[in-house]
Amino acid sequence: AMAFTLAAARTSATSSLMPGKAQLTSAGPLAFGPDGVLFVGDSIGGQIVALDTNDHTPARSGVKIDVQGVDTKIAALVGVAPGQIVVNDMKVNPISQDVYLSASRGRGPDAMPLIVRVNAAGDVSLLSLDNIPHAAVSLTDAPAANSAGRQNPRMMTITDMNYVDGNLMVAGLSNEEWSSALRSIPYPFKKAEEGATLQIWHSSHGRYETQAPVRTFVPYSIQGQQYVLAAYTCTPLVKIPVSELKPGAKVKGVTIADLGSGNQPIDMVPYRKNGHDYILVSNTSLGMLKLKADSLESYKPIDSPTVTDVAGVPYDSLRDLKNVQQLAQLNGTSAVILTGKPGPGPAYNPGPSPGPLNIQTIALP
């Protein structure tokens, strides 16, 4: 019976995907769905593409992935100098525990999108997009490109994604008046409804904000209720009830922590250790933080200037983990980090790392 149910699950997750050339304009945020289906956020193309990685072999126990100079290895595969490779996101296939990177060959708007696979042996290969079972869904509410501003909003159409119970949740910017959006898109793809748009209290700015995109988020259950825990630049941590995220709804998130200003959160990994709940958060200027997440319902909303800078959910700073550019869960006890020197920009928006980029496995602290 076991083999039958696995085969049935596999058919349903990949049966809607048709072979052909996957048309990606850019490769940004990644998320895994059932049976090794990889979702790729294409902000420039205003779409999400689902790819069948055909990567179904369960990992052996105790996988550790350690690859030095992964940018140099990717560069060699596509015939450019390592400085021409930008890694945009990293996720682990929960079945095989192989690491997947979204990257680009080149640094401008015409950069070529790449999907890279790194296995337990440290072999680096490209996922060919020329003839792969895939499906795409266009976002109806993607913002228009505007290169005049400080940041082009089109590049932040999709900032993070997670697959939850048959839906792909997608954070980013929309073309609505409240431009910070969180969309829930059923998979297999039909069409994407417009997203719900978000308003949050931003402590270090001392005001309500509706324009700042969620930078990273995780689905999280608090007292049996489904929430999204979202982190924003300069660094509010906000809980948003999933039940309110209806298409076109205007939703007020509740700020339950502030990690400090001049910082951009990169990734969050929730985990349980020794009977306690934690969330590991990687950041551009605050380094790695271990949030104590046992009773998230008990923190008072931060919604006025009386609470300054660092407040709410307590955390420890992990000083020994430096220059983490990407963080992803490997399994229940380990995570994978991509490390490299910070980019040349300000701490809250440093830009791509000049490299070298290294992947290593760490124990969840």
Side-chain angles (χ1 to χ4, degrees), residues 11-365:
T11 320
S12 60
T14 56
S15 58
S16 64
L17 305 180
M18 301 308 287
K21 186 172 170 63
Q23 303 285 352
L24 280 174
T25 318
S26 60
L30 301 175
F32 271 98
D35 195 50
V37 169
L38 178 65
F39 299 106
V40 182
D42 175 3
S43 281
I44 295 176
Q47 62 168 352
I48 293 150
V49 177
L51 302 172
D52 180 2
T53 59
N54 197 25
D55 180 12
H56 310 126
T57 308
R60 298 199 183 99
S61 60
V63 166
K64 281 189 89 132
I65 296 183
D66 290 284
V67 179
Q68 301 296 301
V70 70
D71 49 339
T72 304
K73 295 184 174 184
I74 298 168
L77 291 174
V78 294
V80 294
Q84 288 297 298
I85 298 297
V86 177
V87 172
N88 298 317
D89 199 12
M90 175 177 77
K91 287 291 188 300
V92 175
N93 180 338
I95 304 169
S96 67
Q97 292 184 14
D98 285 2
V99 172
Y100 284 74
L101 304 170
S102 60
S104 57
R105 176 189 158 203
R107 288 183 169 245
D110 303 325
M112 188 175 102
L114 306 171
I115 304 295
V116 179
R117 178 177 169 183
V118 184
N119 68 14
D123 302 321
V124 178
S125 59
L126 292 178
L127 187 67
S128 171
L129 303 176
D130 287 339
N131 187 23
I132 186 170
H134 70 283
V137 64
S138 291
L139 300 175
T140 52
D141 56 357
N146 172 14
S147 49
R150 197 172 54 163
Q151 290 182 307
N152 183 349
R154 183 66 178 219
M155 303 299 284
M156 292 183 285
T157 302
I158 303 160
T159 51
D160 199 11
M161 305 192 296
N162 281 285
Y163 175 86
V164 193
D165 300 335
N167 292 291
L168 184 66
M169 303 195 74
V170 180
L173 288 181
S174 74
N175 56 12
E176 298 296 322
E177 181 194 6
W178 287 17
S179 55
S180 176
L182 196 54
R183 312 165 179 99
S184 183
I185 301 170
Y187 179 80
F189 293 147
K190 309 274 187 295
K191 74 177 185 51
E193 306 272 6
E194 69 175 317
T197 53
L198 307 174
Q199 181 192 64
I200 61 151
W201 175 260
H202 200 304
S203 309
S204 51
H205 297 173
R207 60 183 174 158
Y208 282 101
E209 290 207 346
T210 56
Q211 313 295 323
V214 171
R215 287 294 177 175
T216 178
F217 74 95
V218 288
Y220 209 81
S221 178
I222 304 173
Q223 293 188 308
Q225 296 289 314
Q226 277 300 117
Y227 286 86
V228 166
L229 284 184
Y232 292 75
T233 303
C234 292
T235 314
L237 182 70
V238 176
K239 63 176 187 182
I240 301 158
V242 170
S243 59
E244 291 184 22
L245 294 172
K246 306 273 192 281
K250 290 190 166 179
V251 180
K252 289 191 176 178
V254 175
T255 303
I256 56 170
D258 201 300
L259 309 179
S261 58
N263 172 59
Q264 181 155 284
I266 303 169
D267 289 305
M268 296 199 281
V269 169
Y271 64 102
R272 206 170 161 75
K273 187 170 181 173
N274 302 332
H276 292 283
D277 291 315
Y278 300 100
I279 302 170
L280 194 59
V281 187
S282 56
N283 301 275
T284 56
S285 68
L286 299 177
M288 296 278 267
L289 303 179
K290 176 184 173 181
L291 269 70
K292 299 171 183 179
D294 275 344
S295 46
L296 291 183
E297 70 284 348
S298 65
Y299 297 99
K300 288 204 285 293
I302 299 173
D303 57 4
S304 78
T306 54
V307 185
T308 54
D309 225 18
V310 179
V313 181
Y315 59 81
D316 297 324
S317 294
L318 308 175
R319 301 274 174 217
D320 50 341
L321 290 168
K322 300 254 191 296
N323 293 341
V324 174
Q325 301 292 331
Q326 301 288 340
L327 162 72
Q329 187 145 16
L330 182 64
N331 51 42
T333 56
S334 306
V336 179
I337 54 176
L338 180 81
T339 57
K341 290 194 217 57
Y348 61 86
N349 188 31
S353 167
L357 297 174
N358 306 317
I359 295 177
Q360 67 189 91
T361 302
I362 60 167
L364 285 165

